[in-house]
Amino acid sequence: VQLQASGGGLVQAGGSLRLSCAASGRTIGSYAVGWFRQVPGKEREFVAARGWSGDWSYYADSVKGRFTISRDNAKNTVNLQMNSLKPEDTAVYYCAARWGFGSSQFSVPSTYDYWGQGTQVTVSS
């Protein structure tokens, strides 16, 4: 599975961005998907995850109520709608996919098998 993230950019605080992650090579319909982010010098941080059938979704406390993860299995894509952005949301955002585990350890990066290349999100104050 190859994942390609896009949609990042520069936005003012309070604005919105929509990240997309396109999968190729294999359908990700049976994979759980997640979004993580990372800033220089820090570990990769969990943002959001969603089950393969959409039966569960989890969010980091820092983004709950502002971000929404969605998936379109027919189009083999995963999206992250980010609203009310804050400067502390600035990071490189990565999409990821994994098979198995169910909803356990959804926030642990090492449980994900496939990663996109990352897209930069910069929120100015």
Side-chain angles (χ1 to χ4, degrees), residues 47-109:
V47 175
R50 189 171 177 89
W52 70 272
S53 64
D55 55 332
W56 56 263
S57 295
Y58 294 107
Y59 297 89
D61 288 342
S62 59
V63 308
K64 202 171 294 183
R66 301 187 296 122
F67 291 11
T68 303
I69 185 172
S70 62
R71 62 187 302 162
D72 187 333
N73 289 341
K75 295 182 178 180
N76 226 20
T77 59
V78 183
N79 300 305
L80 184 69
Q81 178 66 42
M82 306 186 296
N83 298 328
S84 302
L85 283 162
K86 304 175 181 179
E88 51 264 42
D89 294 319
T90 295
V92 176
Y93 283 71
Y94 298 88
C95 58
R98 71 180 195 184
W99 188 87
F101 284 95
S103 61
S104 67
Q105 303 182 68
F106 57 84
S107 64
V108 179

Side-chain angles (χ1 to χ4, degrees), residues 109-121:
S110 62
T111 65
Y112 288 77
D113 304 302
Y114 306 100
W115 292 85
Q117 86 288 3
T119 184
Q120 176 71 47
V121 171

